[in-house]
Amino acid sequence: MTRRRARLLSRGSEADILSPRLRFRRALALVLMSAVAPGSAQVAVGRRWLGWVGLAAWVVVLAGLGVVAWRYHDDRAGLIGLATDSTALMGARIGLVGFALVWLAYLGDALRLARPFSLPAWRAGVVLVVNAALLLGVAGTAAYASQVAGVQREVVNDVFDEVEVEQPLEGRYNILLIGSDSGDDRDGVRPDSLTVVSIDAEDGEPVLVSLPRNLQNVPFDEDSPLRDLYPYGYNCGGECLINAVHTLGRENADLYPDAEDPGLEATIDAVEGATDLQISYHVMVNLKGFEDMVDAVGGVEIDVPTRLAKFGLEDSYKQEYIEPGRQQLNGTDALWYARSRVQSDDFTRMGRQKCLMVAMLDQMSPSKVIMNASDIARSGQTLLSTNIPAAELGPFGDLALKSRDHSIATVSLVPPEVNVAMPDYEEIHTMIDEAIEGEDETTPSPSPSATTPEPEPTQDVPGQDTSTEENERQAAANNVADVKATC
């Protein structure tokens, strides 16, 4: 291109003498330049002060992103913490909206400078379509990012509103996951599942310790207020199950005068007594909200070992099932997979729940989280209540990612390893210690005391035939050194 043509290209008033082909190229160039670097189109046509303002702002943005990338390039926990910091999220949202508006203004001005209506119709249409696509791309991306930041900030403020930070105990965090099973037909909350996730504070190596809801004679530590009521454990017979401790605490709220939820505090005391693990934090999982979380990530792929009923004894007329085989489960089916008890029992479904937890962890890739961030955040508001403070989200997010590189050992206090009616808690504590220390690489052998109880009877419904062998195969994930391999 000659110097004369270059000067004409940069001066809109003289551009009319160019050929239609060159004017078309000029128009596209101005639009694309503004998309790549806001202000560059204005500099090219001589509106230098306006152009340099836009370019300076663009450089500041790029420099800021570069500083963040350099600061956190080897600090994943810090980056996750920044992405879940309420103040940072608000700042990011304001910055996104402001910069997007400026960028859109420069794109609009670039279209004016491109003078598309001086071109032949089809060439003008191409320029207009390209510019419209760029405008929509910038506006849509900024709107989506702003929405995600807003929802994320709301979740952080609403769900992770605690401020007290606990230190790891003997190098581990012990987090109690409680499956909440409340409803109109229930008196209060009766935990449907209790699992302690014991995770190494350095490398994220996890151990899952599960307690069946019908565990009896649970001891209370000396510092538990319930120790005065039950000095020899929760030993009042078949009604004194571990999942009834929540109601016990609520009925004796005076024992926990400073507790917002006495039932929850009592449940934590019971779990600590049963496992000899001091609980760092708790997470209450609303099992109905669990459906929303699974749907938010597009479902979960899992190997269904046998035909599972999507009904209970009271609505067995439905005869709806999850068929066996490798398949993608939506939220509703995933919840039934975790909770179905027809032709099954609590111990069998505990094994399925572990497989489901591992599958969710394994399939929650960063790209999936980013693409579904808004829906995931919204589902978290109905799914979780916890005392994990927002300041711990960075370290725990990093530990969750590290845990994917490890095998996941499981310990479940179920037959034949444990007699749930007459548990040997010293032996239970040994089982858990060995799993955490990595000494127990195989499924534990049945203890002498574990040979007396009969497994919980299955719920028989006509039309559903599940063999004992299939139930045992599903329950195999309860006590293994690597639950991934078993599932």
Side-chain angles (χ1 to χ4, degrees), residues 408-450:
I408 301 177
T410 64
V411 177
S412 296
L413 312 186
V414 299
E417 288 76 28
V418 173
N419 181 338
V420 296
M422 296 179 293
D424 182 341
Y425 283 101
E426 289 188 5
E427 182 179 344
I428 286 172
H429 297 165
T430 300
M431 289 170 55
I432 295 172
D433 290 342
E434 289 179 349
I436 289 176
E437 294 169 5
E439 297 177 1
D440 191 22
E441 298 298 333
T442 58
T443 303
S445 301
S447 64
S449 64

mmCIF file of all heavy atoms in Angstrom, residues 408-450:
data_model
loop_
_atom_site.group_PDB
_atom_site.id
_atom_site.type_symbol
_atom_site.label_atom_id
_atom_site.label_comp_id
_atom_site.label_asym_id
_atom_site.label_seq_id
_atom_site.Cartn_x
_atom_site.Cartn_y
_atom_site.Cartn_z
ATOM 1 N N ILE A 408 -9.368 -42.774 47.544
ATOM 2 C CA ILE A 408 -10.220 -42.378 48.664
ATOM 3 C C ILE A 408 -10.551 -43.622 49.479
ATOM 4 O O ILE A 408 -11.267 -44.515 49.010
ATOM 5 C CB ILE A 408 -11.506 -41.699 48.168
ATOM 6 C CG1 ILE A 408 -11.164 -40.457 47.336
ATOM 7 C CG2 ILE A 408 -12.397 -41.316 49.349
ATOM 8 C CD1 ILE A 408 -12.377 -39.767 46.750
ATOM 9 N N ALA A 409 -10.010 -43.690 50.697
ATOM 10 C CA ALA A 409 -10.303 -44.802 51.596
ATOM 11 C C ALA A 409 -11.626 -44.545 52.298
ATOM 12 O O ALA A 409 -11.987 -43.404 52.579
ATOM 13 C CB ALA A 409 -9.184 -44.972 52.616
ATOM 14 N N THR A 410 -12.347 -45.621 52.568
ATOM 15 C CA THR A 410 -13.634 -45.487 53.253
ATOM 16 C C THR A 410 -13.696 -46.412 54.461
ATOM 17 O O THR A 410 -13.182 -47.527 54.439
ATOM 18 C CB THR A 410 -14.815 -45.815 52.319
ATOM 19 O OG1 THR A 410 -14.742 -47.196 51.933
ATOM 20 C CG2 THR A 410 -14.782 -44.945 51.080
ATOM 21 N N VAL A 411 -14.318 -45.916 55.506
ATOM 22 C CA VAL A 411 -14.597 -46.714 56.704
ATOM 23 C C VAL A 411 -16.057 -46.496 57.031
ATOM 24 O O VAL A 411 -16.491 -45.356 57.227
ATOM 25 C CB VAL A 411 -13.728 -46.286 57.900
ATOM 26 C CG1 VAL A 411 -14.105 -47.100 59.137
ATOM 27 C CG2 VAL A 411 -12.250 -46.460 57.592
ATOM 28 N N SER A 412 -16.815 -47.567 57.082
ATOM 29 C CA SER A 412 -18.237 -47.459 57.422
ATOM 30 C C SER A 412 -18.528 -48.359 58.606
ATOM 31 O O SER A 412 -18.107 -49.520 58.648
ATOM 32 C CB SER A 412 -19.111 -47.868 56.230
ATOM 33 O OG SER A 412 -18.915 -46.988 55.151
ATOM 34 N N LEU A 413 -19.248 -47.820 59.557
ATOM 35 C CA LEU A 413 -19.527 -48.547 60.793
ATOM 36 C C LEU A 413 -20.766 -49.409 60.599
ATOM 37 O O LEU A 413 -21.831 -49.168 61.183
ATOM 38 C CB LEU A 413 -19.701 -47.560 61.949
ATOM 39 C CG LEU A 413 -18.609 -46.472 62.044
ATOM 40 C CD1 LEU A 413 -18.800 -45.643 63.308
ATOM 41 C CD2 LEU A 413 -17.224 -47.070 61.986
ATOM 42 N N VAL A 414 -20.630 -50.435 59.765
ATOM 43 C CA VAL A 414 -21.758 -51.277 59.372
ATOM 44 C C VAL A 414 -21.359 -52.746 59.482
ATOM 45 O O VAL A 414 -20.168 -53.079 59.507
ATOM 46 C CB VAL A 414 -22.195 -50.958 57.919
ATOM 47 C CG1 VAL A 414 -22.631 -49.508 57.792
ATOM 48 C CG2 VAL A 414 -21.059 -51.262 56.930
ATOM 49 N N PRO A 415 -22.360 -53.651 59.563
ATOM 50 C CA PRO A 415 -22.056 -55.082 59.536
ATOM 51 C C PRO A 415 -21.414 -55.468 58.197
ATOM 52 O O PRO A 415 -21.684 -54.817 57.185
ATOM 53 C CB PRO A 415 -23.437 -55.731 59.688
ATOM 54 C CG PRO A 415 -24.302 -54.671 60.308
ATOM 55 C CD PRO A 415 -23.782 -53.385 59.765
ATOM 56 N N PRO A 416 -20.557 -56.473 58.150
ATOM 57 C CA PRO A 416 -20.196 -57.331 59.291
ATOM 58 C C PRO A 416 -19.065 -56.787 60.156
ATOM 59 O O PRO A 416 -18.717 -57.385 61.158
ATOM 60 C CB PRO A 416 -19.761 -58.625 58.599
ATOM 61 C CG PRO A 416 -19.158 -58.155 57.311
ATOM 62 C CD PRO A 416 -19.989 -56.968 56.881
ATOM 63 N N GLU A 417 -18.461 -55.656 59.748
ATOM 64 C CA GLU A 417 -17.337 -55.127 60.522
ATOM 65 C C GLU A 417 -17.767 -54.607 61.888
ATOM 66 O O GLU A 417 -16.999 -54.669 62.852
ATOM 67 C CB GLU A 417 -16.635 -54.003 59.746
ATOM 68 C CG GLU A 417 -15.823 -54.456 58.554
ATOM 69 C CD GLU A 417 -16.695 -54.803 57.368
ATOM 70 O OE1 GLU A 417 -17.806 -54.227 57.247
ATOM 71 O OE2 GLU A 417 -16.285 -55.664 56.567
ATOM 72 N N VAL A 418 -18.971 -54.053 61.963
ATOM 73 C CA VAL A 418 -19.436 -53.428 63.202
ATOM 74 C C VAL A 418 -20.838 -53.926 63.530
ATOM 75 O O VAL A 418 -21.713 -53.968 62.655
ATOM 76 C CB VAL A 418 -19.448 -51.886 63.063
ATOM 77 C CG1 VAL A 418 -20.094 -51.246 64.282
ATOM 78 C CG2 VAL A 418 -18.038 -51.348 62.867
ATOM 79 N N ASN A 419 -21.034 -54.296 64.774
ATOM 80 C CA ASN A 419 -22.357 -54.648 65.272
ATOM 81 C C ASN A 419 -23.038 -53.341 65.669
ATOM 82 O O ASN A 419 -22.697 -52.731 66.681
ATOM 83 C CB ASN A 419 -22.222 -55.580 66.485
ATOM 84 C CG ASN A 419 -23.559 -56.004 67.051
ATOM 85 O OD1 ASN A 419 -24.572 -55.348 66.841
ATOM 86 N ND2 ASN A 419 -23.557 -57.107 67.778
ATOM 87 N N VAL A 420 -23.980 -52.860 64.874
ATOM 88 C CA VAL A 420 -24.555 -51.537 65.106
ATOM 89 C C VAL A 420 -25.382 -51.477 66.382
ATOM 90 O O VAL A 420 -25.608 -50.387 66.930
ATOM 91 C CB VAL A 420 -25.419 -51.099 63.896
ATOM 92 C CG1 VAL A 420 -24.555 -50.939 62.657
ATOM 93 C CG2 VAL A 420 -26.564 -52.070 63.656
ATOM 94 N N ALA A 421 -25.844 -52.632 66.893
ATOM 95 C CA ALA A 421 -26.629 -52.646 68.129
ATOM 96 C C ALA A 421 -25.727 -52.653 69.362
ATOM 97 O O ALA A 421 -26.078 -52.072 70.390
ATOM 98 C CB ALA A 421 -27.558 -53.850 68.158
ATOM 99 N N MET A 422 -24.569 -53.283 69.230
ATOM 100 C CA MET A 422 -23.620 -53.356 70.353
ATOM 101 C C MET A 422 -22.216 -53.078 69.841
ATOM 102 O O MET A 422 -21.370 -53.957 69.786
ATOM 103 C CB MET A 422 -23.691 -54.735 71.020
ATOM 104 C CG MET A 422 -25.029 -55.047 71.670
ATOM 105 S SD MET A 422 -25.063 -56.697 72.421
ATOM 106 C CE MET A 422 -24.963 -57.733 70.947
ATOM 107 N N PRO A 423 -21.951 -51.840 69.445
ATOM 108 C CA PRO A 423 -20.659 -51.531 68.824
ATOM 109 C C PRO A 423 -19.512 -51.582 69.837
ATOM 110 O O PRO A 423 -19.673 -51.231 71.008
ATOM 111 C CB PRO A 423 -20.838 -50.100 68.298
ATOM 112 C CG PRO A 423 -22.312 -49.817 68.387
ATOM 113 C CD PRO A 423 -22.827 -50.664 69.491
ATOM 114 N N ASP A 424 -18.345 -52.029 69.354
ATOM 115 C CA ASP A 424 -17.116 -51.957 70.125
ATOM 116 C C ASP A 424 -16.401 -50.681 69.684
ATOM 117 O O ASP A 424 -15.718 -50.656 68.657
ATOM 118 C CB ASP A 424 -16.251 -53.190 69.850
ATOM 119 C CG ASP A 424 -14.963 -53.195 70.673
ATOM 120 O OD1 ASP A 424 -14.561 -52.118 71.165
ATOM 121 O OD2 ASP A 424 -14.361 -54.275 70.800
ATOM 122 N N TYR A 425 -16.589 -49.598 70.456
ATOM 123 C CA TYR A 425 -16.095 -48.310 69.998
ATOM 124 C C TYR A 425 -14.563 -48.205 70.036
ATOM 125 O O TYR A 425 -13.978 -47.457 69.260
ATOM 126 C CB TYR A 425 -16.759 -47.176 70.786
ATOM 127 C CG TYR A 425 -18.170 -46.927 70.310
ATOM 128 C CD1 TYR A 425 -19.256 -47.415 71.023
ATOM 129 C CD2 TYR A 425 -18.405 -46.266 69.110
ATOM 130 C CE1 TYR A 425 -20.560 -47.218 70.559
ATOM 131 C CE2 TYR A 425 -19.698 -46.062 68.643
ATOM 132 C CZ TYR A 425 -20.771 -46.550 69.372
ATOM 133 O OH TYR A 425 -22.052 -46.361 68.893
ATOM 134 N N GLU A 426 -13.921 -48.950 70.891
ATOM 135 C CA GLU A 426 -12.458 -48.957 70.853
ATOM 136 C C GLU A 426 -11.965 -49.557 69.542
ATOM 137 O O GLU A 426 -11.017 -49.063 68.921
ATOM 138 C CB GLU A 426 -11.912 -49.738 72.050
ATOM 139 C CG GLU A 426 -12.087 -49.029 73.385
ATOM 140 C CD GLU A 426 -11.367 -49.749 74.508
ATOM 141 O OE1 GLU A 426 -10.659 -50.748 74.216
ATOM 142 O OE2 GLU A 426 -11.520 -49.334 75.663
ATOM 143 N N GLU A 427 -12.604 -50.626 69.121
ATOM 144 C CA GLU A 427 -12.237 -51.234 67.843
ATOM 145 C C GLU A 427 -12.564 -50.296 66.679
ATOM 146 O O GLU A 427 -11.797 -50.192 65.707
ATOM 147 C CB GLU A 427 -12.972 -52.562 67.666
ATOM 148 C CG GLU A 427 -12.603 -53.294 66.381
ATOM 149 C CD GLU A 427 -13.323 -54.627 66.251
ATOM 150 O OE1 GLU A 427 -13.859 -55.109 67.264
ATOM 151 O OE2 GLU A 427 -13.342 -55.169 65.132
ATOM 152 N N ILE A 428 -13.687 -49.582 66.776
ATOM 153 C CA ILE A 428 -14.053 -48.623 65.736
ATOM 154 C C ILE A 428 -13.000 -47.532 65.622
ATOM 155 O O ILE A 428 -12.568 -47.168 64.516
ATOM 156 C CB ILE A 428 -15.437 -48.014 66.049
ATOM 157 C CG1 ILE A 428 -16.538 -49.040 65.765
ATOM 158 C CG2 ILE A 428 -15.673 -46.744 65.222
ATOM 159 C CD1 ILE A 428 -17.920 -48.601 66.217
ATOM 160 N N HIS A 429 -12.536 -47.024 66.749
ATOM 161 C CA HIS A 429 -11.521 -45.978 66.729
ATOM 162 C C HIS A 429 -10.233 -46.485 66.089
ATOM 163 O O HIS A 429 -9.561 -45.754 65.358
ATOM 164 C CB HIS A 429 -11.256 -45.479 68.147
ATOM 165 C CG HIS A 429 -12.444 -44.853 68.788
ATOM 166 N ND1 HIS A 429 -12.529 -44.601 70.145
ATOM 167 C CD2 HIS A 429 -13.633 -44.421 68.264
ATOM 168 C CE1 HIS A 429 -13.693 -44.045 70.426
ATOM 169 N NE2 HIS A 429 -14.381 -43.935 69.305
ATOM 170 N N THR A 430 -9.915 -47.747 66.341
ATOM 171 C CA THR A 430 -8.719 -48.344 65.727
ATOM 172 C C THR A 430 -8.878 -48.447 64.212
ATOM 173 O O THR A 430 -7.943 -48.146 63.454
ATOM 174 C CB THR A 430 -8.457 -49.736 66.328
ATOM 175 O OG1 THR A 430 -8.243 -49.618 67.739
ATOM 176 C CG2 THR A 430 -7.231 -50.378 65.681
ATOM 177 N N MET A 431 -10.057 -48.885 63.754
ATOM 178 C CA MET A 431 -10.319 -48.966 62.316
ATOM 179 C C MET A 431 -10.118 -47.613 61.649
ATOM 180 O O MET A 431 -9.476 -47.507 60.592
ATOM 181 C CB MET A 431 -11.764 -49.441 62.067
ATOM 182 C CG MET A 431 -12.041 -50.887 62.401
ATOM 183 S SD MET A 431 -13.833 -51.250 62.330
ATOM 184 C CE MET A 431 -14.244 -50.697 60.676
ATOM 185 N N ILE A 432 -10.644 -46.573 62.275
ATOM 186 C CA ILE A 432 -10.557 -45.232 61.687
ATOM 187 C C ILE A 432 -9.109 -44.743 61.694
ATOM 188 O O ILE A 432 -8.619 -44.195 60.693
ATOM 189 C CB ILE A 432 -11.468 -44.263 62.454
ATOM 190 C CG1 ILE A 432 -12.935 -44.671 62.272
ATOM 191 C CG2 ILE A 432 -11.262 -42.825 61.980
ATOM 192 C CD1 ILE A 432 -13.908 -43.898 63.149
ATOM 193 N N ASP A 433 -8.402 -44.958 62.802
ATOM 194 C CA ASP A 433 -7.000 -44.532 62.877
ATOM 195 C C ASP A 433 -6.157 -45.224 61.809
ATOM 196 O O ASP A 433 -5.296 -44.593 61.174
ATOM 197 C CB ASP A 433 -6.428 -44.828 64.264
ATOM 198 C CG ASP A 433 -7.006 -43.931 65.349
ATOM 199 O OD1 ASP A 433 -7.577 -42.879 64.989
ATOM 200 O OD2 ASP A 433 -6.903 -44.282 66.531
ATOM 201 N N GLU A 434 -6.390 -46.514 61.612
ATOM 202 C CA GLU A 434 -5.610 -47.257 60.620
ATOM 203 C C GLU A 434 -5.888 -46.756 59.212
ATOM 204 O O GLU A 434 -4.974 -46.654 58.388
ATOM 205 C CB GLU A 434 -5.915 -48.754 60.729
ATOM 206 C CG GLU A 434 -5.341 -49.402 61.981
ATOM 207 C CD GLU A 434 -5.681 -50.868 62.083
ATOM 208 O OE1 GLU A 434 -6.540 -51.327 61.283
ATOM 209 O OE2 GLU A 434 -5.094 -51.561 62.927
ATOM 210 N N ALA A 435 -7.153 -46.428 58.917
ATOM 211 C CA ALA A 435 -7.483 -45.914 57.591
ATOM 212 C C ALA A 435 -6.818 -44.563 57.355
ATOM 213 O O ALA A 435 -6.303 -44.287 56.269
ATOM 214 C CB ALA A 435 -8.996 -45.800 57.436
ATOM 215 N N ILE A 436 -6.814 -43.713 58.373
ATOM 216 C CA ILE A 436 -6.211 -42.389 58.239
ATOM 217 C C ILE A 436 -4.700 -42.489 58.100
ATOM 218 O O ILE A 436 -4.075 -41.766 57.313
ATOM 219 C CB ILE A 436 -6.600 -41.505 59.441
ATOM 220 C CG1 ILE A 436 -8.083 -41.140 59.343
ATOM 221 C CG2 ILE A 436 -5.746 -40.247 59.499
ATOM 222 C CD1 ILE A 436 -8.607 -40.356 60.532
ATOM 223 N N GLU A 437 -4.100 -43.416 58.849
ATOM 224 C CA GLU A 437 -2.653 -43.571 58.787
ATOM 225 C C GLU A 437 -2.199 -44.377 57.586
ATOM 226 O O GLU A 437 -1.007 -44.495 57.319
ATOM 227 C CB GLU A 437 -2.163 -44.251 60.068
ATOM 228 C CG GLU A 437 -2.354 -43.386 61.317
ATOM 229 C CD GLU A 437 -2.109 -44.146 62.602
ATOM 230 O OE1 GLU A 437 -1.704 -45.331 62.503
ATOM 231 O OE2 GLU A 437 -2.317 -43.574 63.678
ATOM 232 N N GLY A 438 -3.159 -44.950 56.841
ATOM 233 C CA GLY A 438 -2.812 -45.702 55.643
ATOM 234 C C GLY A 438 -2.313 -47.091 55.925
ATOM 235 O O GLY A 438 -1.707 -47.731 55.068
ATOM 236 N N GLU A 439 -2.574 -47.586 57.136
ATOM 237 C CA GLU A 439 -2.076 -48.909 57.483
ATOM 238 C C GLU A 439 -2.987 -50.020 56.998
ATOM 239 O O GLU A 439 -2.572 -51.149 56.830
ATOM 240 C CB GLU A 439 -1.945 -49.028 59.011
ATOM 241 C CG GLU A 439 -0.924 -48.061 59.602
ATOM 242 C CD GLU A 439 -0.879 -48.151 61.110
ATOM 243 O OE1 GLU A 439 -1.628 -48.981 61.657
ATOM 244 O OE2 GLU A 439 -0.106 -47.408 61.736
ATOM 245 N N ASP A 440 -4.247 -49.693 56.766
ATOM 246 C CA ASP A 440 -5.226 -50.724 56.429
ATOM 247 C C ASP A 440 -5.506 -50.671 54.945
ATOM 248 O O ASP A 440 -6.245 -49.834 54.472
ATOM 249 C CB ASP A 440 -6.514 -50.504 57.226
ATOM 250 C CG ASP A 440 -7.464 -51.682 57.120
ATOM 251 O OD1 ASP A 440 -7.023 -52.784 56.808
ATOM 252 O OD2 ASP A 440 -8.645 -51.475 57.359
ATOM 253 N N GLU A 441 -4.898 -51.545 54.165
ATOM 254 C CA GLU A 441 -5.009 -51.502 52.713
ATOM 255 C C GLU A 441 -6.080 -52.427 52.164
ATOM 256 O O GLU A 441 -6.284 -52.515 50.985
ATOM 257 C CB GLU A 441 -3.656 -51.877 52.079
ATOM 258 C CG GLU A 441 -2.544 -50.912 52.438
ATOM 259 C CD GLU A 441 -2.820 -49.501 51.932
ATOM 260 O OE1 GLU A 441 -3.545 -49.354 50.925
ATOM 261 O OE2 GLU A 441 -2.319 -48.551 52.534
ATOM 262 N N THR A 442 -6.717 -53.208 53.034
ATOM 263 C CA THR A 442 -7.732 -54.133 52.560
ATOM 264 C C THR A 442 -8.986 -53.957 53.382
ATOM 265 O O THR A 442 -9.009 -53.299 54.416
ATOM 266 C CB THR A 442 -7.251 -55.596 52.692
ATOM 267 O OG1 THR A 442 -6.945 -55.850 54.056
ATOM 268 C CG2 THR A 442 -6.014 -55.837 51.841
ATOM 269 N N THR A 443 -10.053 -54.604 52.934
ATOM 270 C CA THR A 443 -11.292 -54.552 53.684
ATOM 271 C C THR A 443 -11.115 -55.202 55.038
ATOM 272 O O THR A 443 -10.571 -56.299 55.134
ATOM 273 C CB THR A 443 -12.404 -55.283 52.905
ATOM 274 O OG1 THR A 443 -12.521 -54.678 51.637
ATOM 275 C CG2 THR A 443 -13.725 -55.223 53.643
ATOM 276 N N PRO A 444 -11.525 -54.554 56.134
ATOM 277 C CA PRO A 444 -11.330 -55.108 57.463
ATOM 278 C C PRO A 444 -12.028 -56.451 57.617
ATOM 279 O O PRO A 444 -13.077 -56.708 57.024
ATOM 280 C CB PRO A 444 -11.957 -54.057 58.391
ATOM 281 C CG PRO A 444 -12.015 -52.813 57.569
ATOM 282 C CD PRO A 444 -12.165 -53.251 56.162
ATOM 283 N N SER A 445 -11.427 -57.314 58.435
ATOM 284 C CA SER A 445 -12.046 -58.593 58.722
ATOM 285 C C SER A 445 -13.145 -58.395 59.752
ATOM 286 O O SER A 445 -13.051 -57.524 60.610
ATOM 287 C CB SER A 445 -10.997 -59.571 59.274
ATOM 288 O OG SER A 445 -9.958 -59.755 58.339
ATOM 289 N N PRO A 446 -14.184 -59.208 59.687
ATOM 290 C CA PRO A 446 -15.256 -59.058 60.666
ATOM 291 C C PRO A 446 -14.749 -59.293 62.078
ATOM 292 O O PRO A 446 -13.951 -60.190 62.323
ATOM 293 C CB PRO A 446 -16.266 -60.138 60.251
ATOM 294 C CG PRO A 446 -15.942 -60.437 58.823
ATOM 295 C CD PRO A 446 -14.471 -60.233 58.689
ATOM 296 N N SER A 447 -15.196 -58.469 62.996
ATOM 297 C CA SER A 447 -14.825 -58.646 64.391
ATOM 298 C C SER A 447 -15.742 -59.688 65.016
ATOM 299 O O SER A 447 -16.841 -59.944 64.542
ATOM 300 C CB SER A 447 -14.961 -57.319 65.139
ATOM 301 O OG SER A 447 -16.307 -56.916 65.143
ATOM 302 N N PRO A 448 -15.294 -60.322 66.094
ATOM 303 C CA PRO A 448 -16.150 -61.324 66.734
ATOM 304 C C PRO A 448 -17.516 -60.777 67.116
ATOM 305 O O PRO A 448 -18.517 -61.453 66.995
ATOM 306 C CB PRO A 448 -15.338 -61.716 67.979
ATOM 307 C CG PRO A 448 -13.917 -61.414 67.616
ATOM 308 C CD PRO A 448 -13.986 -60.204 66.733
ATOM 309 N N SER A 449 -17.554 -59.524 67.596
ATOM 310 C CA SER A 449 -18.827 -58.957 68.029
ATOM 311 C C SER A 449 -19.738 -58.610 66.872
ATOM 312 O O SER A 449 -20.903 -58.319 67.069
ATOM 313 C CB SER A 449 -18.582 -57.699 68.868
ATOM 314 O OG SER A 449 -17.959 -56.709 68.073
ATOM 315 N N ALA A 450 -19.189 -58.656 65.661
ATOM 316 C CA ALA A 450 -19.979 -58.240 64.507
ATOM 317 C C ALA A 450 -20.722 -59.389 63.875
ATOM 318 O O ALA A 450 -21.390 -59.220 62.875
ATOM 319 C CB ALA A 450 -19.067 -57.589 63.470
#
